[in-house]
Each structure stands twice: as structure tokens, then as C-alpha cells.
Amino acid sequence: MSGDSCLPQHHTLSHSTSSAPLLACPKTKTCSYRGAVGLGNKYVRINVGGTLFYTTLQVLTRLDSMLKAMFSGKKEVFIDKDGWILIDRNGKHFGSILCFLRDGTVSLPKGRQAVQELLAEAKYYLAQGLVELCENSLQGNTEQPLCVIPVVTSSKEEERLIQSSTKPVVKLVYNRSNNKYSYTSNSDDNLLKNIELFDRLSLSFNGRVLFIKDVIGDEICCWSFYGQSRKLAEVCCTSIVYATEKKQTKVEFPEARIYEETLNTLLYETMPLPDNSLLEATRRSYTSCGSHSEEEEGPGGAELRERVRRIHIKRYSTYEERPMGH
């Protein structure tokens, strides 16, 4: 159809209710682009799903695509009364389409879903080069999780993970149902805070510390810290308190202590151990406080024993148990 024979077309919305009248769309023309705009117009105004774009005729006709057919007179286009070329598509990725037509390549958006959306638009506009670029990206783009947290379901599995790990290990046991008393009012919130802190730490120290979740342990909420396959410290976050002549379970959130013990595990991150005296100060102690001669202790020097720092939140169950002055 030539530009001289353009006939005005009136369109109405296809979706309507019985109670609401039909809404009229803006007045448009259907004609070839060459007849509607003319060869002397260098810039093209395009309305893609309500998003407006300015570009040149040279860009639109540079590569083989549906846009080249539209703007070379081979395909009819819709033009509104203000002269905008109407394309009934989502304009979210049309800018990337124009960049590919202009440069022959384009930086793909981040995320697999965004690339799939761009691929659908490239297929619609018959931009074969962009289709291949998106497909190759999707085939080679297998998104890796930011962090992998194993959830142990048996003591043997837990022991195997800790013994085989070359990194420090932080384990969180949380089992809300492992309780024969009712919880205090803030216990659920504190349990959730412990879980959220575990998630934050696992993201912050991902690759340096192995984080493990245990959902079958005997404790309700308890942190354990390991280095070189040895248990270094334990932070128990639960205690039993009395309230109105009945026992209740209270869950605490010792955030500062948990951060401190997590940082202490980083001392065991490197192989071999960086400094024996420093590590022994956090891991071991002498068997007795008295001095011994080398003959009594053997050629190996003073005998050392493993020491685990167990930190429990102290809570007084009754008023009478509190020391004077508290």
C-alpha cells in the first residue's frame, strides 16, 4: 500500500466489561513507512508499548530483521496522529535491540530470566544474530548458588563433614520442637535472629568457613565451632527459667559472642598452622597449674589437653539465687 492511499483506522480495546463502555484507542494510520514519513526524515520516533525511542533510519535498516522490513517500505506500520510509529510490544528490552542493530553486539542483561526475555524479543524482531548470542549465553550460563549449606541428618554425616573439611566449621543446631516446656515471649524472635545471623555469616565468610545446619540435635539452639577437625567452642542459647510457678524455655541471642567465636575459627584457616603458641592459647591448656620438669613430662614437654570453651547464658531461675547487690 502506498503512502498516498493511507486510510485512517479506528481501534477499540478488546477487553471490556458489560457495565463499562468501550474505550477508543488513539487514531492511527496503516501505511508503509516510506510513504508516511518520507526519505528525507533522518530521525524516527517509535512508541514501543508506551516507551518512546528516537533512532535513525540507518540503524533500523542496518541488519536483516523485521524492523528493516518495516522501515524500508516492505511492511506496513501503524502511525498515530503525532507521527509516532506504534509497535505493540513491551519496550523493556527494545533499547538492547537497537544497540545490537547499531553495533552488531550488545551487553546482555544480568540474570537468566532477563536474558530469556531478551531472547523472546529478538525472536519477535527476527534479529538472528542477537538470538544466537542469547542462546549461547543461556547454554553456558549455569548460575551457581552464592553459598551451599549442608543440612546434616545423622551424627555420622556430621562427623564425616567435619573430619573431611579443610576449612574451619561453624555448626548451628536448631530444633524448636525439642522442648518439653513452653517458650518465653521473646524466644521465637531470638531463635529467628540466630538463624538470620547464621545466614549472614555464611554469606560473609563463604569459601573460608564451612557452615553446617543440624536439625536433629539434642539442643534447641546451639552454636559449635571447629578448627582442624577439633571442637573449639560452643555457645548454647537456651536456658530454663521459672515464671508463675512453671518452667519455661528461654532462647537468647548472644550476637557478639557468636561473632567472636566465628572470627576465632579463622585462626585455623591456613595449613600449616600459622603460629602454634597463638593457636594453643585458644585451643589448649596445661593439665595442671603446677610446674613440672622435662624429666617428669617426657621429651615432648608439658602434656597438653584439648579444651572446649562452652558458653552458656546465665539466668537466675528464682530471686533467692541472685547474689547480693543484684
Side-chain angles (χ1 to χ4, degrees):
M1 182 181 295
S2 65
D4 297 334
S5 59
C6 294
L7 298 177
Q9 302 280 335
H10 294 274
H11 301 272
T12 58
L13 292 176
S14 58
H15 300 285
S16 62
T17 60
S18 57
S19 59
L22 293 176
L23 299 177
C25 287
K27 188 178 296 185
T28 61
K29 295 180 180 180
T30 304
C31 56
S32 68
Y33 178 78
R34 192 180 298 271
V37 180
L39 295 176
N41 195 347
K42 182 179 180 181
Y43 289 94
V44 182
R45 299 186 298 175
I46 307 175
N47 183 342
V48 184
T51 306
L52 307 180
F53 296 88
Y54 279 95
T55 187
T56 63
L57 188 62
Q58 181 182 4
V59 169
L60 295 169
T61 58
R62 183 174 179 270
L63 300 177
D64 289 334
S65 66
M66 188 184 74
L67 293 172
K68 181 177 181 179
M70 290 175 58
F71 292 93
S72 61
K74 298 179 182 179
K75 188 177 179 63
E76 292 182 342
V77 297
F78 291 95
I79 304 175
D80 65 10
K81 62 180 181 179
D82 297 322
W84 290 87
I85 309 298
L86 303 180
I87 299 179
D88 188 17
R89 296 290 291 184
N90 192 325
K92 178 180 179 181
H93 298 289
F94 192 75
S96 298
I97 300 290
L98 293 180
C99 288
F100 180 80
L101 295 178
R102 183 182 301 109
D103 303 324
T105 185
V106 67
S107 298
L108 298 180
K110 295 181 180 180
R112 188 176 185 86
Q113 181 177 353
V115 176
Q116 290 175 338
E117 294 173 357
L118 179 58
L119 174 60
E121 296 301 306
K123 289 181 177 179
Y124 175 81
Y125 292 109
L126 303 178
Q128 187 58 35
L130 183 55
V131 170
E132 296 175 357
L133 184 64
C134 293
E135 289 179 344
N136 293 336
S137 175
L138 292 173
Q139 290 176 359
N141 181 19
T142 55
E143 292 185 350
Q144 298 296 328
L146 293 176
C147 185
V148 177
I149 305 296
V151 178
V152 297
T153 56
S154 67
S155 57
K156 290 184 178 180
E157 183 183 5
E158 174 187 328
E159 182 179 359
R160 179 180 59 81
L161 283 173
I162 295 174
Q163 293 296 327
S164 61
S165 176
T166 58
K167 298 179 290 187
V169 179
V170 174
K171 183 188 72 171
L172 173 63
V173 178
Y174 66 94
N175 187 356
R176 190 184 184 281
S177 60
N178 190 24
N179 181 36
K180 59 182 180 180
Y181 306 115
S182 62
Y183 285 97
T184 59
S185 58
N186 295 329
S187 292
D188 284 334
D189 290 339
N190 288 332
L191 181 60
L192 181 59
K193 289 178 181 179
N194 279 278
I195 297 174
E196 290 175 345
L197 177 59
F198 180 87
D199 293 338
R200 294 199 305 270
L201 291 174
S202 63
L203 291 175
S204 299
F205 296 100
N206 181 36
R208 301 181 62 185
V209 178
L210 174 63
F211 289 84
I212 299 176
K213 284 185 177 181
D214 187 351
V215 295
I216 61 169
D218 297 331
E219 298 288 345
I220 297 173
C221 183
C222 184
W223 295 73
S224 299
F225 305 87
Y226 300 84
Q228 303 297 316
S229 302
R230 301 180 180 90
K231 193 171 187 178
L232 308 174
E234 183 180 87
V235 178
C236 183
C237 303
T238 57
S239 60
I240 303 299
V241 297
Y242 285 93
T244 62
E245 299 181 354
K246 68 176 181 179
K247 292 181 179 179
Q248 284 188 310
T249 300
K250 187 170 187 177
V251 179
E252 296 286 347
F253 179 50
E255 183 176 10
R257 174 62 66 181
I258 295 169
Y259 266 112
E260 178 185 352
E261 297 299 341
T262 302
L263 293 176
N264 285 338
T265 62
L266 296 179
L267 294 173
Y268 300 82
E269 183 179 14
T270 58
M271 291 288 290
L273 301 181
D275 183 19
N276 288 333
S277 62
L278 177 62
L279 296 177
E280 288 169 2
T282 63
R283 186 182 64 186
R284 300 177 177 181
S285 65
Y286 291 103
T287 54
S288 62
C289 297
S291 60
H292 300 273
S293 63
E294 292 186 0
E295 291 77 5
E296 294 174 345
E297 295 171 349
E303 291 293 334
L304 300 177
R305 64 181 177 84
E306 298 297 328
R307 178 172 64 89
V308 177
R309 297 188 303 279
R310 291 184 174 87
I311 298 95
H312 292 264
I313 307 302
K314 177 62 177 175
R315 289 290 177 268
Y316 300 106
S317 57
T318 62
Y319 180 82
E320 288 74 13
E321 294 182 12
R322 299 183 182 183
M324 294 299 293
H326 286 70

mmCIF file with all atom_site columns, all heavy atoms in Angstrom, residues 42-57:
data_model
loop_
_atom_site.group_PDB
_atom_site.id
_atom_site.type_symbol
_atom_site.label_atom_id
_atom_site.label_alt_id
_atom_site.label_comp_id
_atom_site.label_asym_id
_atom_site.label_entity_id
_atom_site.label_seq_id
_atom_site.pdbx_PDB_ins_code
_atom_site.Cartn_x
_atom_site.Cartn_y
_atom_site.Cartn_z
_atom_site.occupancy
_atom_site.B_iso_or_equiv
_atom_site.pdbx_formal_charge
_atom_site.auth_seq_id
_atom_site.auth_comp_id
_atom_site.auth_asym_id
_atom_site.auth_atom_id
_atom_site.pdbx_PDB_model_num
ATOM 1   N N   . LYS A 1 42 ? 15.400 12.018 8.704  1.00 0.00 ? 42 LYS A N   1
ATOM 2   C CA  . LYS A 1 42 ? 16.530 11.224 9.182  1.00 0.00 ? 42 LYS A CA  1
ATOM 3   C C   . LYS A 1 42 ? 16.207 10.486 10.463 1.00 0.00 ? 42 LYS A C   1
ATOM 4   O O   . LYS A 1 42 ? 16.606 9.342  10.631 1.00 0.00 ? 42 LYS A O   1
ATOM 5   C CB  . LYS A 1 42 ? 17.734 12.145 9.396  1.00 0.00 ? 42 LYS A CB  1
ATOM 6   C CG  . LYS A 1 42 ? 18.989 11.424 9.850  1.00 0.00 ? 42 LYS A CG  1
ATOM 7   C CD  . LYS A 1 42 ? 20.134 12.402 10.002 1.00 0.00 ? 42 LYS A CD  1
ATOM 8   C CE  . LYS A 1 42 ? 21.407 11.691 10.462 1.00 0.00 ? 42 LYS A CE  1
ATOM 9   N NZ  . LYS A 1 42 ? 22.536 12.629 10.643 1.00 0.00 ? 42 LYS A NZ  1
ATOM 10  N N   . TYR A 1 43 ? 15.511 11.116 11.399 1.00 0.00 ? 43 TYR A N   1
ATOM 11  C CA  . TYR A 1 43 ? 15.219 10.508 12.687 1.00 0.00 ? 43 TYR A CA  1
ATOM 12  C C   . TYR A 1 43 ? 13.837 9.876  12.693 1.00 0.00 ? 43 TYR A C   1
ATOM 13  O O   . TYR A 1 43 ? 12.907 10.359 12.039 1.00 0.00 ? 43 TYR A O   1
ATOM 14  C CB  . TYR A 1 43 ? 15.321 11.538 13.814 1.00 0.00 ? 43 TYR A CB  1
ATOM 15  C CG  . TYR A 1 43 ? 16.750 11.949 14.086 1.00 0.00 ? 43 TYR A CG  1
ATOM 16  C CD1 . TYR A 1 43 ? 17.291 13.076 13.482 1.00 0.00 ? 43 TYR A CD1 1
ATOM 17  C CD2 . TYR A 1 43 ? 17.541 11.201 14.943 1.00 0.00 ? 43 TYR A CD2 1
ATOM 18  C CE1 . TYR A 1 43 ? 18.609 13.446 13.732 1.00 0.00 ? 43 TYR A CE1 1
ATOM 19  C CE2 . TYR A 1 43 ? 18.847 11.566 15.196 1.00 0.00 ? 43 TYR A CE2 1
ATOM 20  C CZ  . TYR A 1 43 ? 19.387 12.688 14.588 1.00 0.00 ? 43 TYR A CZ  1
ATOM 21  O OH  . TYR A 1 43 ? 20.676 13.044 14.818 1.00 0.00 ? 43 TYR A OH  1
ATOM 22  N N   . VAL A 1 44 ? 13.702 8.793  13.460 1.00 0.00 ? 44 VAL A N   1
ATOM 23  C CA  . VAL A 1 44 ? 12.463 8.039  13.546 1.00 0.00 ? 44 VAL A CA  1
ATOM 24  C C   . VAL A 1 44 ? 12.007 8.030  14.997 1.00 0.00 ? 44 VAL A C   1
ATOM 25  O O   . VAL A 1 44 ? 12.813 7.841  15.910 1.00 0.00 ? 44 VAL A O   1
ATOM 26  C CB  . VAL A 1 44 ? 12.660 6.591  13.048 1.00 0.00 ? 44 VAL A CB  1
ATOM 27  C CG1 . VAL A 1 44 ? 11.342 5.822  13.109 1.00 0.00 ? 44 VAL A CG1 1
ATOM 28  C CG2 . VAL A 1 44 ? 13.215 6.583  11.639 1.00 0.00 ? 44 VAL A CG2 1
ATOM 29  N N   . ARG A 1 45 ? 10.721 8.254  15.191 1.00 0.00 ? 45 ARG A N   1
ATOM 30  C CA  . ARG A 1 45 ? 10.134 8.228  16.532 1.00 0.00 ? 45 ARG A CA  1
ATOM 31  C C   . ARG A 1 45 ? 9.287  6.968  16.652 1.00 0.00 ? 45 ARG A C   1
ATOM 32  O O   . ARG A 1 45 ? 8.364  6.755  15.879 1.00 0.00 ? 45 ARG A O   1
ATOM 33  C CB  . ARG A 1 45 ? 9.295  9.467  16.775 1.00 0.00 ? 45 ARG A CB  1
ATOM 34  C CG  . ARG A 1 45 ? 10.086 10.766 16.692 1.00 0.00 ? 45 ARG A CG  1
ATOM 35  C CD  . ARG A 1 45 ? 9.236  11.955 17.080 1.00 0.00 ? 45 ARG A CD  1
ATOM 36  N NE  . ARG A 1 45 ? 8.095  12.140 16.184 1.00 0.00 ? 45 ARG A NE  1
ATOM 37  C CZ  . ARG A 1 45 ? 7.145  13.055 16.359 1.00 0.00 ? 45 ARG A CZ  1
ATOM 38  N NH1 . ARG A 1 45 ? 7.201  13.861 17.415 1.00 0.00 ? 45 ARG A NH1 1
ATOM 39  N NH2 . ARG A 1 45 ? 6.159  13.176 15.500 1.00 0.00 ? 45 ARG A NH2 1
ATOM 40  N N   . ILE A 1 46 ? 9.633  6.130  17.661 1.00 0.00 ? 46 ILE A N   1
ATOM 41  C CA  . ILE A 1 46 ? 8.986  4.829  17.813 1.00 0.00 ? 46 ILE A CA  1
ATOM 42  C C   . ILE A 1 46 ? 8.384  4.731  19.213 1.00 0.00 ? 46 ILE A C   1
ATOM 43  O O   . ILE A 1 46 ? 9.028  5.065  20.208 1.00 0.00 ? 46 ILE A O   1
ATOM 44  C CB  . ILE A 1 46 ? 9.988  3.671  17.598 1.00 0.00 ? 46 ILE A CB  1
ATOM 45  C CG1 . ILE A 1 46 ? 10.706 3.837  16.258 1.00 0.00 ? 46 ILE A CG1 1
ATOM 46  C CG2 . ILE A 1 46 ? 9.280  2.328  17.635 1.00 0.00 ? 46 ILE A CG2 1
ATOM 47  C CD1 . ILE A 1 46 ? 11.784 2.800  16.023 1.00 0.00 ? 46 ILE A CD1 1
ATOM 48  N N   . ASN A 1 47 ? 7.157  4.288  19.275 1.00 0.00 ? 47 ASN A N   1
ATOM 49  C CA  . ASN A 1 47 ? 6.445  4.051  20.529 1.00 0.00 ? 47 ASN A CA  1
ATOM 50  C C   . ASN A 1 47 ? 6.267  2.540  20.689 1.00 0.00 ? 47 ASN A C   1
ATOM 51  O O   . ASN A 1 47 ? 5.458  1.926  20.004 1.00 0.00 ? 47 ASN A O   1
ATOM 52  C CB  . ASN A 1 47 ? 5.083  4.757  20.499 1.00 0.00 ? 47 ASN A CB  1
ATOM 53  C CG  . ASN A 1 47 ? 4.322  4.617  21.820 1.00 0.00 ? 47 ASN A CG  1
ATOM 54  O OD1 . ASN A 1 47 ? 4.618  3.744  22.635 1.00 0.00 ? 47 ASN A OD1 1
ATOM 55  N ND2 . ASN A 1 47 ? 3.341  5.469  22.032 1.00 0.00 ? 47 ASN A ND2 1
ATOM 56  N N   . VAL A 1 48 ? 7.047  1.955  21.605 1.00 0.00 ? 48 VAL A N   1
ATOM 57  C CA  . VAL A 1 48 ? 7.004  0.512  21.822 1.00 0.00 ? 48 VAL A CA  1
ATOM 58  C C   . VAL A 1 48 ? 6.313  0.248  23.156 1.00 0.00 ? 48 VAL A C   1
ATOM 59  O O   . VAL A 1 48 ? 6.917  0.411  24.226 1.00 0.00 ? 48 VAL A O   1
ATOM 60  C CB  . VAL A 1 48 ? 8.421  -0.101 21.822 1.00 0.00 ? 48 VAL A CB  1
ATOM 61  C CG1 . VAL A 1 48 ? 8.332  -1.626 21.942 1.00 0.00 ? 48 VAL A CG1 1
ATOM 62  C CG2 . VAL A 1 48 ? 9.181  0.295  20.577 1.00 0.00 ? 48 VAL A CG2 1
ATOM 63  N N   . GLY A 1 49 ? 5.050  -0.099 23.104 1.00 0.00 ? 49 GLY A N   1
ATOM 64  C CA  . GLY A 1 49 ? 4.304  -0.407 24.313 1.00 0.00 ? 49 GLY A CA  1
ATOM 65  C C   . GLY A 1 49 ? 4.237  0.730  25.298 1.00 0.00 ? 49 GLY A C   1
ATOM 66  O O   . GLY A 1 49 ? 4.210  0.515  26.513 1.00 0.00 ? 49 GLY A O   1
ATOM 67  N N   . GLY A 1 50 ? 4.269  1.987  24.818 1.00 0.00 ? 50 GLY A N   1
ATOM 68  C CA  . GLY A 1 50 ? 4.217  3.147  25.689 1.00 0.00 ? 50 GLY A CA  1
ATOM 69  C C   . GLY A 1 50 ? 5.576  3.730  26.011 1.00 0.00 ? 50 GLY A C   1
ATOM 70  O O   . GLY A 1 50 ? 5.657  4.815  26.597 1.00 0.00 ? 50 GLY A O   1
ATOM 71  N N   . THR A 1 51 ? 6.672  3.050  25.660 1.00 0.00 ? 51 THR A N   1
ATOM 72  C CA  . THR A 1 51 ? 8.023  3.560  25.865 1.00 0.00 ? 51 THR A CA  1
ATOM 73  C C   . THR A 1 51 ? 8.507  4.180  24.558 1.00 0.00 ? 51 THR A C   1
ATOM 74  O O   . THR A 1 51 ? 8.442  3.540  23.507 1.00 0.00 ? 51 THR A O   1
ATOM 75  C CB  . THR A 1 51 ? 8.979  2.442  26.305 1.00 0.00 ? 51 THR A CB  1
ATOM 76  O OG1 . THR A 1 51 ? 8.437  1.791  27.453 1.00 0.00 ? 51 THR A OG1 1
ATOM 77  C CG2 . THR A 1 51 ? 10.355 3.001  26.637 1.00 0.00 ? 51 THR A CG2 1
ATOM 78  N N   . LEU A 1 52 ? 8.982  5.421  24.628 1.00 0.00 ? 52 LEU A N   1
ATOM 79  C CA  . LEU A 1 52 ? 9.322  6.179  23.423 1.00 0.00 ? 52 LEU A CA  1
ATOM 80  C C   . LEU A 1 52 ? 10.817 6.086  23.131 1.00 0.00 ? 52 LEU A C   1
ATOM 81  O O   . LEU A 1 52 ? 11.650 6.166  24.038 1.00 0.00 ? 52 LEU A O   1
ATOM 82  C CB  . LEU A 1 52 ? 8.906  7.637  23.588 1.00 0.00 ? 52 LEU A CB  1
ATOM 83  C CG  . LEU A 1 52 ? 7.443  7.875  23.990 1.00 0.00 ? 52 LEU A CG  1
ATOM 84  C CD1 . LEU A 1 52 ? 7.165  9.361  24.109 1.00 0.00 ? 52 LEU A CD1 1
ATOM 85  C CD2 . LEU A 1 52 ? 6.483  7.210  23.002 1.00 0.00 ? 52 LEU A CD2 1
ATOM 86  N N   . PHE A 1 53 ? 11.149 5.943  21.841 1.00 0.00 ? 53 PHE A N   1
ATOM 87  C CA  . PHE A 1 53 ? 12.535 5.826  21.401 1.00 0.00 ? 53 PHE A CA  1
ATOM 88  C C   . PHE A 1 53 ? 12.756 6.738  20.199 1.00 0.00 ? 53 PHE A C   1
ATOM 89  O O   . PHE A 1 53 ? 11.879 6.869  19.334 1.00 0.00 ? 53 PHE A O   1
ATOM 90  C CB  . PHE A 1 53 ? 12.876 4.378  21.008 1.00 0.00 ? 53 PHE A CB  1
ATOM 91  C CG  . PHE A 1 53 ? 12.804 3.393  22.138 1.00 0.00 ? 53 PHE A CG  1
ATOM 92  C CD1 . PHE A 1 53 ? 11.613 2.749  22.456 1.00 0.00 ? 53 PHE A CD1 1
ATOM 93  C CD2 . PHE A 1 53 ? 13.924 3.110  22.904 1.00 0.00 ? 53 PHE A CD2 1
ATOM 94  C CE1 . PHE A 1 53 ? 11.536 1.850  23.489 1.00 0.00 ? 53 PHE A CE1 1
ATOM 95  C CE2 . PHE A 1 53 ? 13.862 2.206  23.947 1.00 0.00 ? 53 PHE A CE2 1
ATOM 96  C CZ  . PHE A 1 53 ? 12.666 1.576  24.242 1.00 0.00 ? 53 PHE A CZ  1
ATOM 97  N N   . TYR A 1 54 ? 13.934 7.359  20.162 1.00 0.00 ? 54 TYR A N   1
ATOM 98  C CA  . TYR A 1 54 ? 14.402 8.097  18.986 1.00 0.00 ? 54 TYR A CA  1
ATOM 99  C C   . TYR A 1 54 ? 15.587 7.332  18.401 1.00 0.00 ? 54 TYR A C   1
ATOM 100 O O   . TYR A 1 54 ? 16.512 6.962  19.136 1.00 0.00 ? 54 TYR A O   1
ATOM 101 C CB  . TYR A 1 54 ? 14.862 9.509  19.367 1.00 0.00 ? 54 TYR A CB  1
ATOM 102 C CG  . TYR A 1 54 ? 13.756 10.519 19.516 1.00 0.00 ? 54 TYR A CG  1
ATOM 103 C CD1 . TYR A 1 54 ? 13.200 10.784 20.756 1.00 0.00 ? 54 TYR A CD1 1
ATOM 104 C CD2 . TYR A 1 54 ? 13.292 11.221 18.408 1.00 0.00 ? 54 TYR A CD2 1
ATOM 105 C CE1 . TYR A 1 54 ? 12.192 11.718 20.906 1.00 0.00 ? 54 TYR A CE1 1
ATOM 106 C CE2 . TYR A 1 54 ? 12.278 12.158 18.552 1.00 0.00 ? 54 TYR A CE2 1
ATOM 107 C CZ  . TYR A 1 54 ? 11.733 12.406 19.803 1.00 0.00 ? 54 TYR A CZ  1
ATOM 108 O OH  . TYR A 1 54 ? 10.726 13.337 19.943 1.00 0.00 ? 54 TYR A OH  1
ATOM 109 N N   . THR A 1 55 ? 15.580 7.122  17.128 1.00 0.00 ? 55 THR A N   1
ATOM 110 C CA  . THR A 1 55 ? 16.715 6.491  16.463 1.00 0.00 ? 55 THR A CA  1
ATOM 111 C C   . THR A 1 55 ? 16.737 6.932  15.004 1.00 0.00 ? 55 THR A C   1
ATOM 112 O O   . THR A 1 55 ? 15.899 7.744  14.580 1.00 0.00 ? 55 THR A O   1
ATOM 113 C CB  . THR A 1 55 ? 16.641 4.959  16.576 1.00 0.00 ? 55 THR A CB  1
ATOM 114 O OG1 . THR A 1 55 ? 17.853 4.393  16.063 1.00 0.00 ? 55 THR A OG1 1
ATOM 115 C CG2 . THR A 1 55 ? 15.456 4.401  15.814 1.00 0.00 ? 55 THR A CG2 1
ATOM 116 N N   . THR A 1 56 ? 17.693 6.415  14.247 1.00 0.00 ? 56 THR A N   1
ATOM 117 C CA  . THR A 1 56 ? 17.824 6.813  12.846 1.00 0.00 ? 56 THR A CA  1
ATOM 118 C C   . THR A 1 56 ? 17.365 5.688  11.937 1.00 0.00 ? 56 THR A C   1
ATOM 119 O O   . THR A 1 56 ? 17.368 4.510  12.312 1.00 0.00 ? 56 THR A O   1
ATOM 120 C CB  . THR A 1 56 ? 19.282 7.162  12.514 1.00 0.00 ? 56 THR A CB  1
ATOM 121 O OG1 . THR A 1 56 ? 20.099 6.000  12.690 1.00 0.00 ? 56 THR A OG1 1
ATOM 122 C CG2 . THR A 1 56 ? 19.786 8.277  13.422 1.00 0.00 ? 56 THR A CG2 1
ATOM 123 N N   . LEU A 1 57 ? 17.013 6.060  10.749 1.00 0.00 ? 57 LEU A N   1
ATOM 124 C CA  . LEU A 1 57 ? 16.600 5.076  9.747  1.00 0.00 ? 57 LEU A CA  1
ATOM 125 C C   . LEU A 1 57 ? 17.758 4.154  9.389  1.00 0.00 ? 57 LEU A C   1
ATOM 126 O O   . LEU A 1 57 ? 17.554 2.973  9.098  1.00 0.00 ? 57 LEU A O   1
ATOM 127 C CB  . LEU A 1 57 ? 16.085 5.807  8.498  1.00 0.00 ? 57 LEU A CB  1
ATOM 128 C CG  . LEU A 1 57 ? 15.433 4.956  7.410  1.00 0.00 ? 57 LEU A CG  1
ATOM 129 C CD1 . LEU A 1 57 ? 14.197 4.271  7.953  1.00 0.00 ? 57 LEU A CD1 1
ATOM 130 C CD2 . LEU A 1 57 ? 15.078 5.822  6.205  1.00 0.00 ? 57 LEU A CD2 1
#
